[in-house]
Amino acid sequence: MSTLAMFGGRPAVPGGTPPPAWPVITEEDREAVLGVLRTGRFTAAAAGEQEIPALEREWAQRVGTAHCLAVANGTIALSIALTAAGVGPGDEVVVPALSFVGTALAPVHLGAVPVFVDVDPTTFNLDTAQLTAALSPRTAAVLPVHLHGLPADMDEVLAFARARGLVVVEDAAQSHGVAYRGRVTGALGDAGVFSLNVSKNLPTCGEGGLITTDDPALADRAGVLRQFGERLPDRGERPYVSEVAGWNAKINAIQAAFTRVQLTRLDQAQARREENVRRLLTSVAELPGFAVPTAAPDRGHGWHILRFRVRPAAFGLVRSQASALREIVMRALRAEGVAVSRYQTTPLSDQPVFAGRTVASRSLDVPVTRAVLDDSFVLQRVHLNPAAGPVLEMVAQALAKVWEHRDLLARVVDARTRDREPV
Ligand SMILES: Cc1ncc(COP(=O)(O)O)c(C=O)c1O
């Protein structure tokens, strides 16, 4: 058995093997950006600008919705979609407690109130069994998140919402082009929202967002909301009339052009990622110490983030030692050359902005979110490049090596936690 790198052994991923970069930037991407510079038309409001409407058409087609609107980022896309769907000040919006903070900040920016509910321990998505408990007379919308790229249980969310006249906006920021029961995320609710942040599976060179919907009135309102509340005429002079309190949330044409090129490679890149990630997960699933992410046969997975839970019992430890075990496993993996990290460290309801009552919010108990955050670590970005296969094989070897040394790691955890919590 080879020595763990944290105790002086040779790392499983040697220092000279950085993961291939994400996003992949080719000559085509560079040309697309330069092409916009040559036209001199940079914003959605510039007369004759073509890249933004082209991206909107192409993404609507990929998702299968009648309309798409490109905006400045995913967070403002959520605020605009909620507002365009009729959510307003004082309305409650049900959100999962495990997500990126943008999910919960988006309702706040229109004066609405996020209500946090717990997630499922294996999918990490909103636990639909909690929805009834979250209801109040002010409930106006449900905002399910397809976290890490795995579609949430949308049929259950939609059945619940439709029976009560609630709006459903999908936070598909992490699930570009992912299948759910024969359809695609972003085409399931009243509106879908995507982030084009440079870290995402469909990236831009910076920040961007997309709103998809089949509802022409919602699309129309969203267009007005991204442009200072103005309705711009197809041609002729700008009237400078604002109908509603809109935002300036326009995307840049350079960003649209970059994403259009990335979109031509999205499905091919996703197919390669699927192969690479499945190989990694199949091999890690054989190690009883780790629970690996999965997807039910009725849906795909964007594999945007890979979340692994440690299983204290498999290491001969108790549940209360989960967080210490996760910490030592992360240290061991980092020493092996694997860039593991945490994605979110507290439930959203514990973020100072909400827990400190800076803004109004409500939360149910979220024990599953707490347990997941305690005992899990993630791989982000390192697996996104389609050429990441060989690096992921080394990652699998690193996890296997850490598991081989489980008794030693368990003894370290025990020594650290003994005073507080005897086994
Ligand atoms: C689940 C989720 N929701 C919302 C957002 C917000 O998107 P953006 O960063 O483009 O504002 C993100 C992006 O990180 C996200 O991952």
Side-chain angles (χ1 to χ4, degrees):
M1 185 156 59
S2 58
T3 310
L4 283 171
M6 71 191 283
F7 297 126
R10 278 190 41 215
V13 186
T17 355
W22 183 258
V24 175
I25 297 175
T26 67
E27 207 40 46
E28 231 190 324
D29 299 86
R30 282 187 271 274
E31 260 315 303
V33 166
L34 286 173
V36 174
L37 292 181
R38 289 186 200 108
T39 68
R41 298 188 184 100
F42 299 123
T43 73
E49 199 293 304
Q50 294 299 319
E51 295 293 340
I52 296 166
L55 172 63
E56 292 173 338
R57 272 195 312 277
E58 288 157 7
W59 188 242
Q61 192 172 17
R62 176 65 184 82
V63 174
T65 52
H67 307 276
C68 172
L69 244 102
V71 293
N73 58 66
T75 307
I76 197 99
L78 286 169
S79 295
I80 288 178
L82 287 166
T83 308
V87 179
D91 286 344
E92 291 188 346
V93 179
V94 180
V95 301
L98 181 56
S99 184
F100 181 68
V101 72
T103 307
L105 288 177
V108 170
H109 289 298
L110 46 114
V113 177
V115 176
F116 301 102
V117 298
D118 214 351
V119 298
D120 178 274
T122 53
T123 66
F124 312 130
N125 280 328
L126 188 150
D127 177 1
T128 54
Q130 310 287 318
L131 285 171
T132 307
L135 279 177
S136 88
R138 299 308 313 246
T139 310
V142 185
L143 185 41
V145 180
H146 307 309
L147 196 70
H148 303 342
L150 178 68
D153 290 329
M154 286 304 294
D155 282 350
E156 288 82 347
V157 170
L158 287 166
F160 180 89
R162 296 294 177 246
R164 292 161 182 85
L166 308 177
V167 162
V168 176
V169 172
E170 295 168 71
D171 182 340
Q174 301 187 359
S175 69
H176 303 81
V178 181
Y180 174 83
R181 299 186 175 173
R183 295 166 73 194
V184 177
T185 54
L188 308 164
D190 296 293
V193 160
F194 299 85
S195 168
L196 300 177
N197 176 274
V198 67
S199 64
K200 295 295 191 284
N201 288 21
L202 179 65
T204 187
C205 47
E207 308 279 349
L210 296 163
I211 302 169
T212 47
T213 184
D214 274 330
D215 179 343
L218 193 156
D220 179 68
R221 284 192 292 274
V224 169
L225 285 164
R226 86 171 165 190
Q227 172 65 34
F228 305 100
E230 293 175 82
R231 187 179 300 282
L232 296 183
D234 286 343
R235 61 176 78 83
E237 280 194 35
R238 179 178 177 181
Y240 290 105
V241 174
S242 287
E243 298 171 7
V244 292
W247 286 269
N248 176 9
K250 297 189 293 295
I251 194 171
N252 187 298
I254 290 174
Q255 285 157 342
F258 184 91
T259 297
R260 287 185 67 203
V261 179
Q262 294 283 325
L263 177 53
T264 63
R265 302 197 293 259
L266 174 73
D267 290 334
Q268 202 186 3
Q270 187 57 31
R272 290 281 305 282
R273 197 176 294 134
E274 176 82 25
E275 276 172 33
N276 297 338
V277 168
R278 289 271 183 202
R279 203 172 309 124
L280 166 71
L281 298 182
T282 303
S283 124
V284 180
E286 286 172 13
L287 313 173
F290 305 103
V292 303
T294 54
D298 64 351
R299 65 199 75 183
H301 199 312
W303 307 120
H304 176 60
I305 289 175
L306 308 180
R307 185 180 290 276
F308 300 87
R309 299 188 72 177
V310 295
R311 290 192 175 116
F315 284 78
L317 298 168
V318 295
R319 177 74 229 163
S320 57
Q321 294 172 304
S323 141
L325 173 62
R326 187 253 312 142
E327 234 167 78
I328 195 80
V329 165
M330 283 181 72
R331 274 187 53 196
L333 285 169
R334 282 177 178 155
E336 296 299 334
V338 183
V340 288
S341 57
R342 296 184 75 192
Y343 180 77
Q344 308 307 313
T345 52
T346 66
L348 290 180
S349 46
D350 284 4
Q351 288 271 2
V353 57
F354 301 114
R357 301 263 152 235
T358 309
V359 299
S361 70
R362 233 168 26 84
S363 186
L364 305 186
D365 282 345
V366 292
V368 176
T369 300
R370 288 186 199 289
V372 169
L373 289 170
D374 253 6
D375 69 19
S376 65
F377 59 88
V378 303
L379 276 182
Q380 301 189 63
R381 217 151 162 172
V382 296
H383 60 287
L384 292 184
N385 188 309
V391 169
L392 294 189
E393 274 171 31
M394 289 188 253
V395 169
Q397 283 158 20
L399 275 146
K401 186 173 167 191
V402 166
W403 172 244
E404 268 183 40
H405 290 271
R406 57 191 169 277
D407 292 340
L408 174 60
L409 294 178
R411 280 201 299 280
V412 175
V413 171
D414 241 355
R416 287 190 176 173
T417 52
R418 194 177 303 132
D419 295 343
R420 278 175 276 152
E421 191 84 37
V423 181

CSV table of all heavy atoms in Angstrom, one decimal, residues 6-37:
chain,number,residue,atom,x,y,z
A,6,MET,N,-0.1,13.1,2.0
A,6,MET,CA,-0.1,14.0,3.1
A,6,MET,C,0.9,13.5,4.2
A,6,MET,O,1.3,14.3,5.1
A,6,MET,CB,-1.5,14.1,3.7
A,6,MET,CG,-2.1,13.0,4.4
A,6,MET,SD,-3.8,13.2,4.8
A,6,MET,CE,-3.8,14.3,6.2
A,7,PHE,N,1.4,12.3,4.1
A,7,PHE,CA,2.4,11.8,5.0
A,7,PHE,C,3.7,11.5,4.3
A,7,PHE,O,4.5,10.7,4.7
A,7,PHE,CB,1.9,10.5,5.7
A,7,PHE,CG,0.7,10.7,6.6
A,7,PHE,CD1,-0.5,10.0,6.4
A,7,PHE,CD2,0.7,11.7,7.6
A,7,PHE,CE1,-1.6,10.2,7.2
A,7,PHE,CE2,-0.4,12.0,8.4
A,7,PHE,CZ,-1.6,11.2,8.2
A,8,GLY,N,3.9,12.2,3.1
A,8,GLY,CA,5.2,12.1,2.4
A,8,GLY,C,5.2,11.2,1.2
A,8,GLY,O,6.3,11.1,0.6
A,9,GLY,N,4.1,10.5,0.9
A,9,GLY,CA,4.1,9.6,-0.3
A,9,GLY,C,4.0,10.4,-1.6
A,9,GLY,O,3.9,11.6,-1.6
A,10,ARG,N,4.1,9.6,-2.7
A,10,ARG,CA,4.0,10.2,-4.0
A,10,ARG,C,2.5,10.5,-4.3
A,10,ARG,O,1.7,9.7,-4.2
A,10,ARG,CB,4.6,9.3,-5.1
A,10,ARG,CG,6.1,9.4,-5.2
A,10,ARG,CD,6.6,8.7,-6.4
A,10,ARG,NE,5.8,8.9,-7.6
A,10,ARG,CZ,5.7,8.0,-8.5
A,10,ARG,NH1,6.2,6.8,-8.4
A,10,ARG,NH2,5.0,8.2,-9.6
A,11,PRO,N,2.2,11.8,-4.8
A,11,PRO,CA,0.8,12.1,-5.0
A,11,PRO,C,0.2,11.2,-6.2
A,11,PRO,O,0.9,11.0,-7.2
A,11,PRO,CB,0.8,13.6,-5.4
A,11,PRO,CG,2.2,14.0,-5.4
A,11,PRO,CD,3.1,12.9,-5.0
A,12,ALA,N,-1.1,10.9,-6.1
A,12,ALA,CA,-1.7,10.1,-7.2
A,12,ALA,C,-1.8,10.9,-8.4
A,12,ALA,O,-1.8,10.4,-9.5
A,12,ALA,CB,-3.1,9.7,-6.7
A,13,VAL,N,-2.0,12.2,-8.3
A,13,VAL,CA,-2.1,13.1,-9.5
A,13,VAL,C,-0.8,14.0,-9.4
A,13,VAL,O,-0.7,14.9,-8.6
A,13,VAL,CB,-3.3,14.1,-9.4
A,13,VAL,CG1,-3.4,14.9,-10.7
A,13,VAL,CG2,-4.6,13.3,-9.2
A,14,PRO,N,0.2,13.6,-10.1
A,14,PRO,CA,1.5,14.3,-10.0
A,14,PRO,C,1.4,15.8,-10.3
A,14,PRO,O,0.5,16.2,-11.1
A,14,PRO,CB,2.4,13.6,-11.1
A,14,PRO,CG,1.7,12.4,-11.4
A,14,PRO,CD,0.3,12.5,-11.1
A,15,GLY,N,2.2,16.6,-9.6
A,15,GLY,CA,2.1,18.1,-9.7
A,15,GLY,C,2.1,18.6,-11.1
A,15,GLY,O,1.5,19.7,-11.4
A,16,GLY,N,2.7,17.9,-12.1
A,16,GLY,CA,2.8,18.4,-13.4
A,16,GLY,C,1.6,18.1,-14.3
A,16,GLY,O,1.6,18.3,-15.5
A,17,THR,N,0.5,17.7,-13.7
A,17,THR,CA,-0.7,17.3,-14.5
A,17,THR,C,-1.9,18.2,-14.1
A,17,THR,O,-2.9,17.7,-13.5
A,17,THR,CB,-1.1,15.8,-14.2
A,17,THR,OG1,-0.2,15.2,-13.4
A,17,THR,CG2,-1.4,15.1,-15.5
A,18,PRO,N,-1.9,19.5,-14.5
A,18,PRO,CA,-3.1,20.3,-14.2
A,18,PRO,C,-4.2,19.8,-15.0
A,18,PRO,O,-4.0,19.4,-16.2
A,18,PRO,CB,-2.6,21.7,-14.5
A,18,PRO,CG,-1.5,21.5,-15.5
A,18,PRO,CD,-0.9,20.2,-15.2
A,19,PRO,N,-5.5,19.9,-14.5
A,19,PRO,CA,-6.6,19.5,-15.4
A,19,PRO,C,-6.7,20.5,-16.6
A,19,PRO,O,-6.3,21.7,-16.5
A,19,PRO,CB,-7.8,19.7,-14.5
A,19,PRO,CG,-7.4,20.6,-13.4
A,19,PRO,CD,-5.9,20.5,-13.2
A,20,PRO,N,-7.2,20.0,-17.7
A,20,PRO,CA,-7.3,20.9,-18.9
A,20,PRO,C,-8.3,22.0,-18.6
A,20,PRO,O,-9.3,21.8,-17.9
A,20,PRO,CB,-7.8,19.9,-20.0
A,20,PRO,CG,-8.3,18.7,-19.3
A,20,PRO,CD,-7.6,18.6,-18.0
A,21,ALA,N,-8.1,23.2,-19.1
A,21,ALA,CA,-8.8,24.4,-18.7
A,21,ALA,C,-10.3,24.4,-19.2
A,21,ALA,O,-10.6,23.7,-20.1
A,21,ALA,CB,-8.1,25.6,-19.4
A,22,TRP,N,-11.1,25.1,-18.4
A,22,TRP,CA,-12.5,25.3,-18.8
A,22,TRP,C,-12.7,26.8,-18.7
A,22,TRP,O,-12.4,27.4,-17.7
A,22,TRP,CB,-13.5,24.5,-18.0
A,22,TRP,CG,-14.9,24.7,-18.4
A,22,TRP,CD1,-15.8,25.5,-17.9
A,22,TRP,CD2,-15.5,24.1,-19.6
A,22,TRP,NE1,-17.0,25.5,-18.6
A,22,TRP,CE2,-16.8,24.7,-19.7
A,22,TRP,CE3,-15.0,23.3,-20.6
A,22,TRP,CZ2,-17.6,24.3,-20.7
A,22,TRP,CZ3,-15.9,23.0,-21.6
A,22,TRP,CH2,-17.2,23.5,-21.7
A,23,PRO,N,-13.4,27.5,-19.6
A,23,PRO,CA,-13.9,26.9,-20.9
A,23,PRO,C,-12.8,26.6,-21.9
A,23,PRO,O,-11.7,27.2,-21.8
A,23,PRO,CB,-14.8,28.0,-21.4
A,23,PRO,CG,-14.4,29.2,-20.7
A,23,PRO,CD,-13.8,28.9,-19.4
A,24,VAL,N,-13.1,25.8,-22.9
A,24,VAL,CA,-12.2,25.6,-24.0
A,24,VAL,C,-12.4,26.8,-24.9
A,24,VAL,O,-13.5,27.1,-25.3
A,24,VAL,CB,-12.6,24.3,-24.8
A,24,VAL,CG1,-11.7,24.1,-26.0
A,24,VAL,CG2,-12.5,23.1,-23.9
A,25,ILE,N,-11.2,27.5,-25.2
A,25,ILE,CA,-11.3,28.6,-26.1
A,25,ILE,C,-10.5,28.4,-27.4
A,25,ILE,O,-9.3,28.1,-27.3
A,25,ILE,CB,-10.8,29.9,-25.4
A,25,ILE,CG1,-11.7,30.2,-24.2
A,25,ILE,CG2,-10.8,31.1,-26.3
A,25,ILE,CD1,-11.3,31.3,-23.3
A,26,THR,N,-11.2,28.4,-28.5
A,26,THR,CA,-10.5,28.1,-29.8
A,26,THR,C,-10.4,29.3,-30.6
A,26,THR,O,-11.0,30.4,-30.3
A,26,THR,CB,-11.4,27.0,-30.6
A,26,THR,OG1,-12.6,27.7,-30.9
A,26,THR,CG2,-11.7,25.8,-29.7
A,27,GLU,N,-9.8,29.2,-31.8
A,27,GLU,CA,-9.7,30.3,-32.8
A,27,GLU,C,-11.1,30.8,-33.1
A,27,GLU,O,-11.3,32.0,-33.3
A,27,GLU,CB,-9.0,29.8,-34.0
A,27,GLU,CG,-8.2,30.8,-34.8
A,27,GLU,CD,-7.5,31.8,-33.9
A,27,GLU,OE1,-6.8,31.5,-32.9
A,27,GLU,OE2,-7.6,33.1,-34.2
A,28,GLU,N,-12.1,29.9,-33.2
A,28,GLU,CA,-13.4,30.3,-33.6
A,28,GLU,C,-14.0,31.2,-32.5
A,28,GLU,O,-14.7,32.2,-32.9
A,28,GLU,CB,-14.3,29.0,-33.6
A,28,GLU,CG,-15.1,28.7,-34.8
A,28,GLU,CD,-16.0,27.6,-34.5
A,28,GLU,OE1,-15.6,26.6,-33.8
A,28,GLU,OE2,-17.2,27.6,-35.0
A,29,ASP,N,-13.8,30.9,-31.2
A,29,ASP,CA,-14.3,31.8,-30.2
A,29,ASP,C,-13.7,33.2,-30.3
A,29,ASP,O,-14.3,34.2,-30.2
A,29,ASP,CB,-14.0,31.3,-28.8
A,29,ASP,CG,-14.6,29.9,-28.6
A,29,ASP,OD1,-14.0,28.9,-29.0
A,29,ASP,OD2,-15.7,29.9,-28.0
A,30,ARG,N,-12.3,33.2,-30.5
A,30,ARG,CA,-11.6,34.5,-30.6
A,30,ARG,C,-12.1,35.3,-31.8
A,30,ARG,O,-12.3,36.5,-31.8
A,30,ARG,CB,-10.1,34.2,-30.8
A,30,ARG,CG,-9.4,33.9,-29.5
A,30,ARG,CD,-7.9,33.8,-29.6
A,30,ARG,NE,-7.5,32.4,-29.9
A,30,ARG,CZ,-7.3,31.5,-29.0
A,30,ARG,NH1,-7.4,31.7,-27.8
A,30,ARG,NH2,-7.0,30.2,-29.4
A,31,GLU,N,-12.3,34.6,-33.0
A,31,GLU,CA,-12.8,35.3,-34.2
A,31,GLU,C,-14.2,35.9,-33.9
A,31,GLU,O,-14.6,37.0,-34.4
A,31,GLU,CB,-12.9,34.3,-35.3
A,31,GLU,CG,-11.7,34.4,-36.3
A,31,GLU,CD,-11.4,35.8,-36.7
A,31,GLU,OE1,-12.3,36.5,-37.2
A,31,GLU,OE2,-10.3,36.3,-36.4
A,32,ALA,N,-15.1,35.1,-33.2
A,32,ALA,CA,-16.4,35.6,-32.9
A,32,ALA,C,-16.4,36.9,-32.1
A,32,ALA,O,-17.1,37.9,-32.4
A,32,ALA,CB,-17.2,34.5,-32.2
A,33,VAL,N,-15.5,37.0,-31.2
A,33,VAL,CA,-15.4,38.2,-30.3
A,33,VAL,C,-14.8,39.3,-31.2
A,33,VAL,O,-15.4,40.4,-31.1
A,33,VAL,CB,-14.4,37.9,-29.1
A,33,VAL,CG1,-14.0,39.1,-28.4
A,33,VAL,CG2,-15.1,36.9,-28.1
A,34,LEU,N,-13.8,39.0,-32.0
A,34,LEU,CA,-13.2,40.1,-32.8
A,34,LEU,C,-14.3,40.6,-33.8
A,34,LEU,O,-14.3,41.8,-34.2
A,34,LEU,CB,-12.0,39.6,-33.5
A,34,LEU,CG,-10.8,39.4,-32.6
A,34,LEU,CD1,-9.6,38.7,-33.4
A,34,LEU,CD2,-10.3,40.8,-32.2
A,35,GLY,N,-15.1,39.7,-34.3
A,35,GLY,CA,-16.1,40.0,-35.3
A,35,GLY,C,-17.1,41.1,-34.7
A,35,GLY,O,-17.4,42.0,-35.4
A,36,VAL,N,-17.4,41.0,-33.5
A,36,VAL,CA,-18.3,42.0,-32.8
A,36,VAL,C,-17.6,43.3,-32.7
A,36,VAL,O,-18.1,44.4,-33.0
A,36,VAL,CB,-18.8,41.5,-31.4
A,36,VAL,CG1,-19.5,42.6,-30.7
A,36,VAL,CG2,-19.6,40.2,-31.5
A,37,LEU,N,-16.3,43.3,-32.3
A,37,LEU,CA,-15.5,44.5,-32.2
A,37,LEU,C,-15.5,45.2,-33.6
A,37,LEU,O,-15.6,46.4,-33.7
A,37,LEU,CB,-14.1,44.2,-31.8
A,37,LEU,CG,-13.9,43.7,-30.4
A,37,LEU,CD1,-12.5,43.5,-30.0
A,37,LEU,CD2,-14.5,44.7,-29.4
